[in-house]
């Protein structure tokens, strides 16, 4: 009998054939080499040779010898018999008639193949499982599968399923207990009492202290900012952030903290002392930095949207209101000045050239003429109005909104002092003066007089100098310290975003430079990184090769320009002819119609349950508590929750009368089993199965991927939403930046606030995919493009293929200034400086190595490499490297229409996925009602998983439909099959109440519908 974490089906599948091996597996495990044949040929009869071969290859494939050697899939028997020249495969039945023959063969194979008995390797396996469980925290099923793989690799005969399952369960439990004991041992008696107090509900309160502290800020306001800093200070006061937890694997600490952040306080109270307090310690350590992250997230959006942007908007509104007065005053002055100009200037007769004196000779006469058109009182009023409404002559364009900003001081007053007390800021040399000024602000606030000597006047750039030093309402010799506060905050905000000012006690807003590999750490991983990315340690030869490639490509493409009707040059600017859509032949329309008509009609939950039955993806949903027991029919509840979250409809439509669909069970499973980590693990399984389907392989090899953003309105108050009227109207919103490969499988995604440039996040999405092959070519839209991103992606080994909507404005780059590139001569007006790249090469390698190994986020690196839109010297060197790849990309676009079509096809594939996602995520008008980033990631993780399940369901049935049509003699052309879309949805019910009962599926699939049947049939 299996232990608790294995189902009966999983236990039965252990060390046994699950259907026929794939062709690849047959060739890998069942191919008989010369040594195998030598062993087999020693057996005299056909059935003994075939049985011996079956035992040999089965041991290689499964890690066991079969008690019944005839229990082998026919495909295996046929493959072995073909190699051995045995025509009658039924001869295998005779092999099992003599038990002694089988046992003798097993003994011989154990000796020849050098298989080890499990008892001899058990101690080593325990050590290996313990190390893996300690560092990864994987669930028991994942550890069980890994242990099976470990035994097979080392040629250890698999033990009974119960023996191995109990070993894994006991070792994992011991590793967990050691984790809890290690963290528990770090705590003093007082600290234990403090942590336990977090689970209590204070008198008069409705939630525990832990519930209160783990809820971050949601509203964007000064008082909320003060509350966020007070929360961070309160959590920091526990002192848990000062404990040395470096001996604990980061993944295990993060896992424990996630349980503490997501789990109910009542559930935590049930655990024993070591586990409870270890979980609370991990949670407190996590919240110590997370609370600072939350506060700085709020500060960033508060300054950007509530202060800077609002001041600019209100200033613009005021300018619009004063515009009529300005216009009237201006026309009066213009009219008066024209009289002055006309009457006081000499007059020249254009025909004779005769010069006449001015019409008026005295000031009095001039005023008389002026007052004929503009009375003196109106002229004086116009002058007064212009002095009142127009800025001073020496002011700049920012003075108006900066003056407006100063009036918003009550917004920042509540939290300024707390900000520098709670957040441990650091700075680079460039940011140090601003940080010093920020820390001095609390000493200036509330004073009646502040002299210029008490502030850093070097920070007063542009109109800030006038507003701070020459404010009309201030006494001579004093400064407007409120204006100085905002001058410092504006600079601080800019430098914080660039991480020139950073928070030492924050994970998100910390110093990315400190995370870059350096010194011994870099030297240790440098060879591995260079080999992995195929980059040289010295840049000379590599850059010379890139230069030769660029030069040769220019010359080749320029030579084909006269015959290339797809491109034209206008004043040296490159233009492409519109890419005409490929015609749809009648055969494609007929095939598409027939395939879609054959798709079985199902409810969305049935799609999920059926996909679970094929893939076992539901096994990825493990309890956050670490418990090994699984609820009965957990897959039904998981499917219901995926519908609730993926369709954005909530619990109500999926609640049913059976236990698996009752509210209490749904709520428990939602909190305990569903989280981003389990979504990603389940998604990896779906991606793998999608890649194995023949139709998906026709679409592509999984090596081309695209990254694009899908926008969601967030109608609830949230720090993690940003305004953008184009996409979100009057509300805030978020972007789900997701990746899909050419097999239509979603590889992963990332939620970002608002609509920032995708280029900041593309690399992070690529390196943080859920599963599937590593893509080689990356397609994006123009928003994901920059020269630095081009450089980083090329260094990381990706072929970057962005769509360049503004192509005529794109500068092409060359290395040799003297080279003649024909039609591209004017377009290639930029010059790549190879010497600049070579000087920075070691730092460039260290940057890409740090990103590649996960030491630092690419987002932080890209922000660090740019300053106010201008790259740093290192960023400029990476941009120059990227311009080589960019120019090669543009040349390929110009020369290969097929390349442009491939990029367009991949972009269309992503658009199709987004259209399907909109249909699935239909509840609440498709708006995202999540206040916190974790909640957004979880819900959109559910959507991504449902999307992949629907695509897998469609792909498998479409593959079966195509095969059936071919068998029936339908005109199925390969080029038409490649253009079928897996995003069809008319056969899937996504609305209303749903069916959660999976019918009997002989062969694992539903029957296809008759393509000629009517809808009623």
């Amino acid at each position: 009998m299996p232990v608790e974490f294995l189902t009966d089906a999983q236990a039965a599948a252990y060390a046994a054939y699950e259907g026929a091996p794939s062709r690849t597996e047959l060739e890998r495990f069942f191919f008989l080499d010369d040594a195998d044949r030598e062993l087999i040929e020693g057996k005299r009869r056909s059935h003994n040779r075939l049985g011996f071969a079956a035992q040999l290859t089965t041991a290689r494939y499964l890690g066991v010898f079969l008690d019944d050697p005839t229990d082998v899939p026919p495909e295996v028997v046929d493959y072995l018999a073909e190699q051995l020249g045995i025509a009658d495969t039924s001869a295998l039945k005779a092999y099992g008639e003599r038990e002694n023959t089988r046992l003798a063969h097993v003994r011989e194979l154990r000796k020849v193949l050098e298989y080890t008995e499990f008892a001899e390797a058990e101690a080593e396996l325990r050590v290996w499982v313990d190390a893996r469980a300690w560092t990864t925290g994987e669930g028991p099923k994942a550890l069980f599968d890994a242990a099976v793989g470990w035994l097979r690799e080392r040629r250890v005969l698999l033990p009974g399923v119960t023996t191995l399952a109990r070993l894994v369960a006991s070792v994992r439990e011991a590793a967990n207990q050691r984790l809890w004991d290690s963290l528990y041992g770090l705590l003093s008696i007082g600290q234990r009492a403090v942590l336990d107090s977090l689970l209590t509900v204070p008198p008069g309160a409705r939630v525990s202290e832990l519930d209160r502290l783990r809820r971050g800020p949601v509203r964007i306001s000064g008082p909320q900012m003060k509350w966020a800093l007070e929360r961070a200070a309160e959590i920091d006061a526990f002192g848990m952030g000062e404990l040395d937890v470096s001996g604990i694997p980061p993944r295990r600490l993060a896992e424990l903290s996630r349980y503490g952040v997501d789990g109910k306080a009542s559930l935590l109270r049930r655990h024993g002392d070591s586990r409870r307090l270890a979980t609370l310690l991990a949670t407190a350590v996590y919240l110590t930095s997370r609370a600072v992250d939350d506060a700085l997230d709020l500060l960033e959006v508060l300054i950007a949207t509530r202060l800077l942007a609002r001041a600019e908007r209100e200033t613009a509104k005021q300018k619009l209101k004063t515009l009529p007065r300005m216009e009237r005053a201006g026309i009066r002055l213009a009219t008066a000045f024209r009289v002055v100009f006309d009457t006081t200037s000499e007059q020249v007769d254009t025909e004779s050239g005769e010069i006449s004196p001015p019409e008026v000779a005295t000031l009095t006469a001039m005023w008389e003429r002026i007052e004929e058109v503009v009375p003196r009182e109106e002229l004086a009023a116009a002058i007064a109005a212009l002095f009142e409404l127009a800025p001073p002559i020496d002011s700049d364009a920012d003075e108006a909104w900066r003056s407006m900003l100063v009036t918003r001081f009550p917004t920042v007053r509540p939290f300024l002092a707390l900000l520098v007390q709670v957040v441990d800021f650091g700075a680079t040399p460039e940011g140090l003066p601003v940080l010093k000024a920020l820390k001095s602000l609390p000493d200036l606030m509330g004073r009646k007089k502040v002299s210029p000597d008490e502030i850093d006047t070097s920070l007063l750039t542009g109109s800030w100098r006038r507003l701070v030093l020459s404010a009309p309402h201030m006494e001579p010799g004093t400064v407007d310290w409120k204006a100085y506060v905002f001058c410092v905050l504006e600079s601080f905000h800019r430098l914080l975003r660039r991480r020139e000012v950073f928070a030492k006690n924050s994970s998100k807003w910390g110093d990315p430079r400190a995370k870059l590999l350096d010194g011994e750490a870099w030297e240790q991983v440098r060879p591995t990184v260079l080999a992995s990315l195929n980059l040289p340690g010295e840049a000379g030869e590599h850059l010379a090769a890139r230069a030769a490639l660029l030069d040769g490509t220019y010359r080749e493409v320029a030579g084909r320009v006269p015959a290339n009707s797809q491109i034209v040059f206008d004043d040296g600017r490159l233009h492409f002819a519109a890419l005409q859509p490929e015609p749809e032949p009648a055969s494609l329309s007929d095939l598409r119609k027939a395939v879609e008509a054959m798709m079985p009609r199902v409810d969305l939950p049935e799609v999920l349950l059926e996909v679970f039955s094929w893939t076992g993806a539901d096994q990825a949903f493990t309890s956050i508590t670490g418990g090994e027991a699984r609820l009965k029919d957990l897959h039904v509840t998981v499917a219901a929750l995926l519908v609730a979250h993926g369709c954005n409809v909530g619990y109500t439509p999926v609640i049913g009368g059976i236990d698996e669909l009752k509210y209490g069970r749904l709520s428990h499973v939602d909190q305990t089993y569903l989280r981003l980590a389990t979504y990603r693990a389940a998604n990896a399984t779906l991606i793998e199965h999608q890649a194995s389907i023949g139709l998906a392989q026709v679409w592509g090899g999984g090596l081309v991927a695209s990254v694009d953003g899908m926008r969601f309105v967030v109608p609830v108050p949230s720090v993690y939403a940003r305004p953008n009227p184009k996409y979100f109207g009057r509300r805030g919103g978020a972007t789900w930046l997701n990746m899909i490969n050419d097999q239509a499988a979603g590889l992963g995604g990332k939620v970002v606030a608002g609509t920032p440039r995708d280029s900041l996040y593309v690399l992070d999405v690529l390196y943080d995919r859920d599963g599937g092959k590593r893509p080689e070519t990356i397609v994006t839209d123009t928003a994901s493009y920059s020269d630095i991103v081009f450089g980083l992606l090329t260094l990381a080994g990706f072929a970057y293929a962005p769509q360049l909507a503004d192509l005529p404005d794109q500068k092409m780059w060359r290395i040799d200034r003297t080279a003649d590139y024909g039609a591209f001569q004017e377009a290639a007006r930029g010059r790549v400086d190879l010497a600049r790249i070579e000087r920075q090469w070691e730092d460039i390698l260290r940057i890409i190595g740090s990103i590649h190994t996960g030491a630092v986020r690419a987002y932080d690196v890209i922000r660090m490499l740019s300053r106010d839109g201008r790259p740093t010297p290192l960023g400029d060197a990476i941009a120059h490297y990227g311009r080589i790849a960019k120019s090669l990309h543009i040349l390929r676009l110009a020369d290969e229409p097929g390349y442009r079509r491939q990029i367009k096809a991949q972009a269309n594939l992503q658009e199709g996925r987004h259209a399907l996602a909109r249909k699935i995520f239909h509840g609440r008008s498709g708006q995202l009602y999540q206040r916190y980033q974790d909640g957004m990631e979880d819900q959109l993780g559910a959507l991504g998983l449902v999307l992949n399940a629907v695509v897998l369901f469609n792909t498998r049935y479409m593959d079966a439909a195509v095969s059936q049509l071919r068998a029936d003699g339908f005109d199925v052309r390969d080029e038409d099959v490649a253009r079928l879309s897996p995003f069809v949805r008319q056969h899937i019910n996504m609305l209303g109440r749903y069916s959660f009962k999976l019918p009997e599926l002989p062969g694992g699939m539903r029957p296809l519908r008759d393509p000629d049947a009517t809808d009623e049939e």
Side-chain angles (χ1 to χ4, degrees):
M1 293 295 293
V3 294
E4 292 175 313
F5 67 82
L6 290 177
T7 64
D8 291 339
Q10 290 170 342
Y14 169 76
Y17 284 98
E18 291 185 87
S22 66
R23 184 70 191 180
T24 301
E25 290 173 326
L26 284 174
E27 293 170 353
R28 177 181 176 187
F29 295 101
F30 297 91
F31 176 78
L32 302 175
D33 60 21
D34 292 343
D36 297 335
R37 290 175 180 275
E38 185 177 347
L39 285 173
I40 295 168
E41 292 304 325
K43 311 302 177 286
R44 288 184 298 171
R45 299 178 181 176
S46 296
H47 65 269
N48 283 339
R49 295 205 311 275
L50 192 54
F52 189 87
Q55 288 281 30
L56 185 156
T57 53
T58 296
R60 201 150 55 199
Y61 180 60
L62 296 178
V64 294
F65 294 111
L66 295 174
D67 292 333
D68 181 4
T70 63
D71 189 18
V72 177
E75 292 83 355
V76 171
V77 179
D78 292 343
Y79 187 70
L80 294 174
E82 181 183 356
Q83 296 178 79
L84 296 173
I86 299 174
D88 183 11
T89 58
S90 64
L92 182 63
K93 296 178 181 178
Y95 180 71
E97 293 176 357
R98 293 190 71 250
E99 178 70 6
N100 288 338
T101 300
R102 182 186 71 81
L103 293 176
H105 287 178
V106 167
R107 287 193 294 270
E108 181 182 353
L109 285 170
R110 282 181 178 175
K111 181 178 180 181
V112 171
L113 300 179
E114 298 180 346
Y115 270 90
T116 304
E117 293 292 340
F118 175 74
E120 298 176 32
E122 181 177 0
E124 187 180 355
L125 176 63
R126 283 183 177 275
V127 172
W128 184 85
V129 172
D130 177 75
R132 182 155 180 155
W134 170 253
T135 55
T136 69
E138 290 176 331
K141 180 61 169 60
L143 282 175
F144 181 86
D145 292 341
V148 171
W150 185 91
L151 291 168
R152 286 175 177 168
E153 285 178 9
R154 287 156 181 77
R155 296 196 175 195
V156 179
L157 293 174
L158 297 184
V161 62
T162 304
T163 300
L164 185 58
R166 285 177 176 165
L167 181 150
V168 168
S170 63
V171 172
R172 180 175 181 271
E173 180 61 29
N176 285 340
Q177 190 62 53
R178 189 164 81 254
L179 171 69
W180 303 330
D181 290 344
S182 298
L183 289 170
Y184 180 80
L186 296 175
L187 298 168
S188 65
I189 295 176
Q191 288 170 327
R192 294 170 190 171
V194 168
L195 289 176
D196 265 335
S197 69
L198 295 177
L199 300 178
T200 62
V201 179
R206 300 174 60 184
V207 297
S208 69
E209 288 294 276
L210 179 60
D211 287 329
R212 178 179 65 84
L213 291 174
R214 61 189 176 186
R215 293 177 184 172
V218 292
R219 298 188 180 278
I220 303 169
S221 67
Q224 186 83 159
M225 182 66 206
K226 180 183 179 183
W227 174 85
L229 290 168
E230 289 173 343
R231 167 180 174 252
E234 184 177 358
I235 294 171
D236 184 64
F238 295 151
M240 304 303 163
E242 300 173 3
L243 295 177
D244 183 9
V245 294
S246 58
I248 307 298
R251 184 170 172 180
R252 301 305 311 275
L253 202 64
E255 208 172 57
L256 267 183
S257 67
R258 183 65 185 259
Y259 178 32
V261 169
D262 292 344
K264 292 182 178 179
S266 57
L267 186 61
L268 290 171
R269 280 195 292 267
R270 298 176 190 172
H271 296 307
D273 287 351
S274 62
R275 181 175 182 181
R276 182 184 71 255
L277 289 166
T279 303
L280 290 172
L281 171 56
T283 305
V285 170
Y286 167 76
L287 287 177
T288 299
S289 62
R290 178 57 186 267
V292 177
D293 289 349
D294 289 342
L296 292 178
D297 283 339
L298 175 55
L299 178 65
E300 192 274 330
V301 70
L302 175 67
I303 293 176
T305 64
R306 290 294 189 269
L307 295 175
L308 301 179
R310 180 171 290 182
E312 291 185 15
R313 288 196 305 270
E314 291 180 358
T315 301
K317 288 179 183 179
Q318 285 195 356
K319 284 183 178 179
L320 286 175
K321 290 179 181 179
T322 61
L323 189 58
R325 288 183 63 195
M326 291 277 289
E327 289 176 340
R328 288 194 297 270
I331 196 64
R332 287 185 174 89
L333 284 175
T335 302
F337 182 76
R338 187 169 61 184
V339 171
V340 172
F341 186 80
D342 290 344
T343 58
T344 60
S345 301
E346 294 179 337
Q347 306 297 312
V348 179
D349 189 319
T350 55
E351 293 183 0
S352 64
E354 183 179 350
I355 300 177
S356 304
E359 293 183 17
V360 298
T362 65
L363 182 61
T364 302
M366 184 185 69
W367 269 111
E368 288 175 356
R369 296 290 292 272
I370 291 174
E371 290 191 280
E372 289 177 5
V373 293
V374 183
R376 186 177 294 226
E377 309 84 58
E378 291 185 11
L379 194 59
I383 294 172
L386 286 177
F387 274 114
E388 175 190 348
L389 301 176
I393 294 176
D394 59 346
S395 69
D396 58 25
D398 298 325
E399 183 164 346
W401 68 261
R402 284 173 170 171
S403 299
M404 179 68 70
L405 186 62
V406 176
T407 66
R408 307 286 300 174
F409 183 73
T411 301
V412 302
R413 181 194 294 272
F415 65 80
L416 266 181
L418 266 178
L419 179 64
V420 294
Q421 293 172 14
V422 173
V423 183
D424 183 12
F425 285 115
T428 64
E430 182 179 343
L432 204 55
V434 173
L435 177 57
K436 185 177 179 181
L438 180 73
K439 291 182 176 181
S440 72
L441 294 182
D443 296 332
L444 307 179
M445 291 168 53
R447 291 172 52 184
K448 292 183 178 179
K449 295 181 181 180
V450 175
S451 68
D453 296 338
E454 298 179 80
I455 66 172
D456 185 350
T457 56
S458 66
L459 301 179
L460 304 178
T461 57
S463 52
W464 280 125
R465 177 166 291 276
R466 176 199 299 278
L467 293 172
V468 174
L469 300 178
S470 305
H473 62 280
M474 301 302 297
E475 295 182 13
T478 63
V479 301
D480 186 343
W481 59 265
K482 291 182 181 179
Y484 180 68
V485 165
F486 282 103
C487 170
V488 173
L489 282 178
E490 184 190 354
S491 297
F492 164 74
H493 177 252
R494 183 180 70 256
L495 295 179
L496 180 67
R497 289 166 62 95
R498 287 198 338 230
R499 304 300 191 270
E500 300 293 345
V501 176
F502 49 85
K504 299 176 184 176
N505 53 346
S506 166
S507 59
K508 182 176 180 179
W509 295 91
D511 181 12
R513 299 160 195 80
K515 299 176 184 178
L516 292 175
L517 295 171
D518 197 9
E520 185 178 350
W522 167 234
E523 291 302 324
Q524 287 181 350
V525 302
R526 188 177 187 272
T528 304
V529 168
L530 298 188
S532 176
L533 298 178
N534 196 27
L535 292 171
E538 300 294 332
E541 292 185 9
H542 173 71
L543 294 179
R546 298 291 290 173
L549 176 63
L550 181 60
D551 179 76
T553 305
Y554 264 123
R555 296 180 189 278
E556 286 183 24
V557 177
R560 290 192 284 267
V561 164
N564 191 341
S565 61
Q566 292 293 308
I567 62 173
V568 294
F569 289 89
D570 177 17
D571 193 24
R573 293 150 64 92
L574 177 63
H575 296 261
F576 288 163
L579 194 63
Q580 297 300 319
E582 290 185 278
E584 288 197 359
S587 60
L588 173 59
S589 299
D590 292 343
L591 176 64
R592 188 178 288 149
K593 182 178 179 180
V595 169
E596 292 180 12
M598 295 172 74
M599 301 293 284
R601 292 177 175 169
V602 292
D603 281 354
L604 181 59
E606 294 178 29
V607 170
L608 298 173
L609 292 172
E610 189 167 341
V611 168
F612 287 167
S613 73
W614 300 339
T615 64
D618 56 301
Q619 297 299 317
F621 292 95
T622 55
S623 172
I624 200 170
T625 66
E628 295 169 0
R630 288 176 66 83
L631 295 173
K632 181 182 178 183
D633 293 328
L634 177 64
H635 63 291
V636 176
T637 310
V638 168
L641 289 168
L642 288 174
V643 171
H645 298 320
C647 294
N648 203 28
V649 294
Y651 288 177
T652 301
V654 301
I655 290 176
I658 61 175
D659 289 343
E660 291 81 1
L661 299 177
K662 290 183 178 178
Y663 178 84
R665 162 104 167 206
L666 289 167
S667 178
H668 170 75
V669 172
D670 198 358
Q671 295 182 60
T672 311
Y673 289 85
L674 269 64
R675 56 195 185 277
L676 189 59
T678 55
Y679 288 135
R680 296 184 61 175
N683 204 32
T685 303
L686 300 189
I687 296 167
E688 179 182 352
H689 276 76
Q690 177 77 6
S692 69
I693 300 174
L695 180 56
Q697 293 166 4
V698 170
W699 291 333
L703 299 179
V704 177
S706 53
V707 180
D708 195 17
M710 185 174 174
R711 320 296 183 186
F712 292 89
V713 173
V714 180
V716 294
S718 173
V719 173
Y720 303 100
R722 296 288 190 278
N724 186 320
K726 177 180 177 181
Y727 295 102
F728 311 131
R730 302 178 67 180
R731 298 183 181 275
T735 297
W736 183 40
L737 197 62
N738 61 99
M739 174 167 53
I740 179 176
N741 68 8
D742 55 2
Q743 295 178 333
L747 303 183
K750 183 178 184 63
V751 180
V752 296
T755 56
R757 286 186 64 87
D758 295 349
S759 60
L760 297 173
Y761 298 95
V762 166
L763 258 175
D764 287 327
V765 173
L766 288 172
Y767 271 108
D768 200 27
R769 68 186 189 280
D770 296 344
K773 294 179 181 177
R774 186 181 192 266
E776 294 178 357
T777 300
I778 308 301
V779 175
T780 68
D781 60 14
T782 303
S784 300
Y785 158 76
S786 77
D787 288 349
I788 288 178
V789 171
F790 236 124
L792 290 174
L793 277 166
T794 305
L795 289 163
F798 297 103
Y800 189 30
Q803 300 181 85
L804 300 175
D806 55 348
L807 181 67
D809 297 324
Q810 293 290 334
K811 183 189 295 185
M812 297 181 71
W813 299 79
R814 62 167 68 210
I815 295 169
D816 184 356
R817 285 179 174 172
T818 64
D820 182 1
Y821 293 140
F824 292 97
Q825 192 69 11
E826 291 186 45
R829 58 190 183 275
R831 181 177 177 273
V832 174
D833 188 346
L834 295 184
R836 187 175 307 185
I837 302 172
E838 191 164 4
R839 284 195 302 270
Q840 301 277 358
W841 186 248
E842 184 61 25
D843 283 337
I844 289 174
L845 293 178
R846 197 163 61 91
I847 287 283
I848 196 61
S850 299
I851 294 173
H852 185 71
T853 58
V856 65
R857 295 188 307 169
Y859 168 85
D860 290 328
V861 169
I862 295 170
R863 296 302 296 262
M864 181 185 74
L865 293 174
S866 298
R867 295 175 181 171
D868 301 327
R870 301 181 64 183
T872 64
L874 177 56
D876 192 41
I878 294 174
H880 272 263
Y881 186 84
R883 287 162 185 158
I884 300 174
K886 172 190 170 183
S887 299
L888 290 169
H889 170 60
I890 294 175
L891 288 168
R892 191 175 178 190
L893 288 172
D895 196 45
E896 301 178 30
Y899 181 57
R900 291 174 61 198
R901 201 171 295 280
Q902 179 190 30
I903 293 171
K904 183 64 176 175
Q906 183 62 31
N908 289 342
L909 194 68
Q910 183 123 39
E911 290 177 7
R913 184 175 196 247
H914 286 179
L916 176 59
R918 289 291 181 200
K919 290 293 183 181
I920 294 174
F921 200 78
H922 63 268
R924 298 183 177 185
S925 302
Q927 297 180 342
L928 188 60
Y929 281 76
Q930 297 288 345
R931 298 178 185 274
Y932 303 106
Q933 188 173 25
D934 290 347
M936 293 177 186
E937 289 178 341
D938 285 349
Q939 184 163 10
L940 295 179
L943 174 61
L945 185 61
V946 173
L947 269 170
N948 270 4
V950 170
V951 168
L952 176 58
F953 180 91
N954 286 346
T955 305
R956 188 167 182 187
Y957 276 100
M958 291 171 71
D959 185 64
V962 169
S963 298
Q964 183 63 52
L965 289 170
R966 279 197 168 114
D968 294 342
F970 192 93
D971 181 19
V972 178
R973 303 178 183 180
D974 292 342
E975 61 270 23
D976 293 339
V977 172
R979 295 177 66 178
L980 292 175
S981 169
F983 302 121
V984 293
R985 49 187 176 270
Q986 292 82 359
H987 57 292
I988 302 176
N989 169 42
M990 301 179 189
L991 304 174
R993 292 188 176 272
Y994 311 90
S995 165
F996 286 88
K997 185 173 178 58
L998 194 63
E1000 292 293 328
L1001 301 175
M1005 292 180 66
R1006 303 165 189 267
L1008 296 169
R1009 298 172 62 223
D1010 182 351
D1012 299 321
T1014 63
D1015 289 342
E1016 287 74 18
E1017 296 177 304

